[in-house]
Amino acid sequence: MGTRDPRVDAYIDASADFARPILEYLREVVHAACPRVEETMKWSFPHFMYEGMLCGMGSFKQHCTLGFWKGSLVFEEGDAKQGAMGQLGRITSLSDLPSRTALTRYIKRAMKLNEQGVPSPSRSKPKAKRPALAVPDDLSAALKKNAKARATFEGLSPSHRREYVEWITEAKREETRQRRLATALEWMAEGKTRNWKYARS
């Protein structure tokens, strides 16, 4: 028997009115096609596990998505859509979805790939290690003088720290670099990441 995660219930309940019937339908189709599927939350989105990652769904302000972990192997060429996270494109209503038969076929393919232990093509190659982040002297000196900014910087993930460092060091003119440095300190003192303006609230 599969399992249902109450966090997925909460996620669906908190989604927009248009999204709830879509998410509920996708959930039911996955469970019907794969009775042993287990639900979980990963990266703040509902995911379905069966001998590894099977697929995940999500809702946004104006659309929903369904994505398969091994999508390039699940879908035949031309079946998958582009332009949104997931292989089914932007789902704004139940009519945007393929037939239940087609959805079940995709789920069964994904199940078989997991049963056979086939790795995901996009995730099977080990990533080259990035060099350790070198914090420039001017940023390091400025952070020493600003406790709030320093606390934020030290608490950021490596990728977020790198965003600040690269933004400052990629400035072509000294005036631009100093302006970016001052802005970075101001934002970090407020607990913000470099791309805070684009973060989903």
Side-chain angles (χ1 to χ4, degrees):
M1 286 292 293
T3 63
R4 291 178 183 257
D5 191 322
R7 294 174 299 169
V8 175
D9 292 315
Y11 181 93
I12 293 173
D13 289 343
S15 296
D17 290 344
F18 83 91
R20 284 196 288 274
I22 298 170
L23 298 175
E24 287 166 357
Y25 175 76
L26 291 174
R27 187 186 199 185
E28 292 310 315
V29 173
V30 172
H31 277 272
C34 182
R36 286 172 48 206
V37 77
E38 296 180 358
E39 296 180 350
T40 188
M41 293 291 289
K42 287 184 179 289
W43 306 291
S44 302
F45 292 104
H47 278 73
F48 301 95
M49 309 290 290
Y50 172 75
E51 297 194 21
M53 194 88 78
L54 192 69
C55 58
M57 63 183 186
S59 72
F60 300 87
K61 286 183 180 177
Q62 297 180 328
H63 71 280
C64 295
T65 62
L66 177 69
F68 288 84
W69 195 244
K70 299 171 183 173
S72 62
L73 299 177
V74 170
F75 289 81
E76 294 173 4
E77 194 170 344
D79 278 355
K81 296 179 183 176
Q82 302 299 323
M85 185 173 65
Q87 293 86 19
L88 299 181
R90 297 169 66 88
I91 306 165
T92 58
S93 69
L94 288 170
S95 61
D96 289 334
L97 289 166
S99 68
R100 188 181 182 108
T101 302
L103 272 175
T104 300
R105 186 169 63 248
Y106 299 145
I107 295 163
K108 296 283 189 186
R109 281 183 196 161
M111 289 168 60
K112 191 171 182 180
L113 290 167
N114 282 6
E115 288 167 354
Q116 295 172 341
V118 177
S120 172
S122 61
R123 296 173 176 87
S124 56
K125 295 177 185 175
K127 288 184 179 178
K129 266 196 167 182
R130 296 187 80 167
L133 183 65
V135 179
D137 292 341
D138 51 355
L139 175 57
S140 183
L143 288 171
K144 284 178 183 175
K145 297 175 185 174
N146 190 320
K148 284 185 178 178
R150 184 172 68 252
T152 297
F153 186 77
E154 290 173 352
L156 291 174
S157 66
S159 61
H160 282 149
R161 286 200 297 268
R162 188 177 298 276
E163 285 172 358
Y164 267 123
V165 168
E166 289 179 349
W167 185 51
I168 292 166
T169 57
E170 285 171 1
K172 291 181 171 61
R173 300 171 59 195
E174 183 59 27
E175 305 96 286
T176 306
R177 181 177 179 124
Q178 291 306 314
R179 190 164 59 249
R180 288 183 181 181
L181 178 60
T183 302
L185 287 170
E186 181 184 331
W187 286 348
M188 283 188 276
E190 294 171 2
K192 295 174 178 176
T193 62
R194 156 80 178 92
N195 293 309
W196 63 272
K197 292 179 185 177
Y198 311 107
R200 186 179 177 222
S201 58

